[in-house]
Amino acid sequence: MPGSDNEAGALALFSAKPAFNETLHVGRPNIGNREEFHRRIDGILDRRWLTNNGECVQELEARLASLLGVKHCIAMCNATVALEITIRALGLKGEVIVPSFTFVATPHSLQWQEITPVFCDIDPLTHNMDPLCVEKLLTPRTTGIIGVHLWGRPCDVEALGGIAQKHNLKLMFDAAHAFNCTRGGRMVGGFGNAEVFSFHATKFFNTLEGGAVATNDDDLAQQIRLMKNFGFAGYDNVVYIGTNGKMNEVSAAFGLVGLENLDQFVAVNRANYQVYRQGLAGVPGISLIAYEEGERNNYQYIVCEVDHASAGISRDALMEVLHAENVVARRYFYPGCHRMEPYRSYFPHAGLLLPHTEALTQRVLLLPTGTAVGPGEIEKICRIIKLAVEHAPEVMRKVTTG
């Protein structure tokens, strides 16, 4: 096929040369100042204190608590263990209401402890769990609600808080996406009984691997600290059942360096988001989720929704186009947790109660951002998407027939 820029043959899907030699990923790690990181590593090695609540972990916890405006921030080895420990510390059991449109770690953290995750539908505009649906799912076995702040846009914490208070339920949040974000000018971290953050390498702020629990509850914080260190309350004094959820010093050092570069990371993300918005403006069937300008956000996700009817091309076909160009766009959170095991076996008809979730899993596509990409790469990605939509019939035929 012809290979000019305004013809489908220019796409790698039709055997043209890929637009990028190096693969572009969603969530490629941001790296802070290397010299400062090396300096901190030297300090760790000199102290020979590599884990077990060392100097860097203590400093990181204090700085995070100050940034989030909370009394306690407990660093963890990862967010999944942080979820599991917080769930156990809150005494959750029976049934807990969670969205299906989330990373599978959220329901797994419940099921791992033989607690039943009850999947709730989302608001199609916010992508967060719908409080009206939460009310309909309450049973005598319900002990709590776990909200998920998707894309850094917080849940309706007020409505969920009202439901929790009315029915005497625990309320916690999976805030993996929402570090350094606000709702009503208030930093995410102090809502509900506790909030759990992810500092995995794919997050815009990371500690290589890690997470944290933020809370204003003194007793809960003390219990979580015991539980993340085998229940030790001093030498040779185990007072509670626990596990190993500690963050190591190297991870904490990486996080401290990241905090010093936090504003730079956000500025890059925001600039990238604006380039995407300009580049995709007016493309039929392609829309980006909006971030509220009056609130603080980390802009770490470029969330594209593909309307097959308007674009003439399906989300999955567009993903194939981008993958052929070495742009590894991702389908978050496909196909929905309720369609993953063991949940699809436990609740085979769950999708009937999750129409908005089911629809959204067919539309969402995340695009690369972060410090690993710049305006030039983004403009090229936007041109690829435009070209794919302009030649939607040819693309769909290619994808369906090979």
Side-chain angles (χ1 to χ4, degrees):
M1 297 181 75
S4 62
D5 287 346
N6 63 350
E7 294 179 336
L11 296 170
L13 186 72
F14 296 94
S15 300
K17 181 182 177 182
F20 299 96
N21 295 323
E22 183 179 356
T23 304
L24 301 184
H25 293 274
V26 172
R28 192 170 187 186
N30 290 328
I31 308 294
N33 185 286
R34 296 186 184 209
E35 291 183 4
E36 177 60 18
F37 179 57
H38 292 156
R39 185 188 69 79
R40 286 188 174 274
I41 292 297
D42 286 341
I44 292 168
L45 297 178
D46 289 343
R47 290 189 295 274
R48 296 177 182 265
W49 192 341
L50 307 183
T51 188
N52 289 351
N53 200 37
E55 182 178 301
C56 288
V57 166
Q58 293 180 45
E59 182 183 352
L60 180 65
E61 289 185 340
R63 291 182 62 178
L64 289 174
S66 176
L67 175 65
L68 300 174
V70 296
K71 294 171 68 175
H72 307 280
C73 190
I74 303 113
M76 296 276 191
C77 58
N78 60 60
T80 303
V81 169
L83 283 168
E84 292 169 352
I85 289 176
T86 305
I87 287 165
R88 193 176 184 95
L90 286 172
L92 298 183
K93 57 186 178 180
E95 297 176 353
V96 173
I97 299 172
V98 296
S100 175
F101 196 72
T102 181
F103 185 56
V104 75
T106 315
H108 273 0
S109 299
L110 293 163
Q111 191 66 51
W112 189 262
Q113 301 180 79
E114 299 185 338
I115 301 167
T116 301
V118 177
F119 292 120
C120 178
D121 209 2
I122 51 96
D123 180 327
L125 297 179
T126 67
H127 300 182
N128 287 325
M129 67 193 305
D130 186 343
L132 295 177
C133 293
V134 172
E135 291 249 42
K136 297 175 183 177
L137 296 172
L138 297 175
T139 75
R141 286 174 47 80
T142 307
T143 60
I145 302 167
I146 301 180
V148 180
H149 304 308
L150 276 186
W151 322 133
R153 303 190 301 183
C155 295
D156 187 342
V157 296
E158 297 81 11
L160 293 175
I163 294 169
Q165 184 174 19
K166 178 181 176 182
H167 297 279
N168 194 30
L169 304 173
K170 300 296 185 181
L171 174 62
M172 60 178 283
F173 293 97
D174 180 335
H177 288 189
F179 181 68
N180 202 44
C181 299
T182 63
R183 179 176 174 88
R186 180 180 168 189
M187 291 288 281
V188 170
F191 296 113
N193 297 103
E195 304 205 60
V196 174
F197 293 96
S198 172
F199 302 144
H200 184 265
T202 57
K203 300 299 185 288
F204 92 103
F205 166 76
N206 74 85
T207 60
L208 305 175
E209 179 78 85
V213 182
T215 182
N216 287 310
D217 185 324
D218 296 339
D219 292 337
L220 181 63
Q222 182 180 11
Q223 192 171 1
I224 289 172
R225 287 193 182 280
L226 286 171
M227 293 173 71
K228 68 138 184 182
N229 187 30
F230 307 102
F232 275 101
Y235 291 115
D236 306 321
N237 184 28
V238 175
V239 299
Y240 198 83
I241 188 170
T243 186
N244 186 0
K246 302 185 298 293
M247 178 182 284
N248 66 72
E249 283 291 274
V250 174
S251 289
F254 196 86
L256 286 167
V257 174
L259 281 180
E260 294 166 0
N261 293 265
L262 198 66
D263 290 343
Q264 174 197 344
F265 295 158
V266 174
V268 169
N269 285 350
R270 181 168 182 162
N272 287 349
Y273 173 73
Q274 294 300 339
V275 176
Y276 271 115
R277 284 193 68 84
Q278 294 166 11
L280 295 175
V283 180
I286 305 296
S287 61
L288 296 185
I289 65 162
Y291 293 103
E292 192 172 336
E293 288 298 321
E295 298 285 0
R296 191 167 175 173
N297 203 285
N298 52 43
Y299 296 90
Q300 72 172 317
Y301 293 109
I302 303 298
V303 185
C304 176
E305 286 193 58
V306 182
D307 181 344
H308 189 168
S310 300
I313 186 172
S314 68
R315 185 275 312 277
D316 288 356
L318 181 58
M319 183 177 71
E320 285 197 39
V321 168
L322 290 167
H323 283 191
E325 306 287 353
N326 287 329
V327 179
V328 186
R330 296 283 306 279
R331 302 181 295 188
Y332 280 31
F333 290 98
Y334 180 84
C337 292
H338 66 288
R339 290 190 175 274
M340 299 176 178
E341 290 293 0
Y343 312 109
R344 69 184 178 200
S345 294
Y346 291 164
F347 319 114
H349 305 298
L352 297 175
L353 298 175
L354 304 167
H356 296 308
T357 298
E358 293 257 290
L360 193 60
T361 61
Q362 302 300 316
R363 296 200 308 267
V364 165
L365 191 66
L366 269 66
L367 304 173
T369 188
T371 54
V373 298
E377 289 89 356
I378 294 170
E379 289 166 0
K380 193 179 292 187
I381 293 170
C382 292
R383 286 198 297 271
I384 293 166
I385 294 172
K386 284 181 181 178
L387 190 59
V389 172
E390 287 170 1
H391 295 275
E394 297 107 302
V395 169
M396 291 302 296
R397 281 196 297 271
K398 178 67 174 177
V399 168
T400 55
T401 65

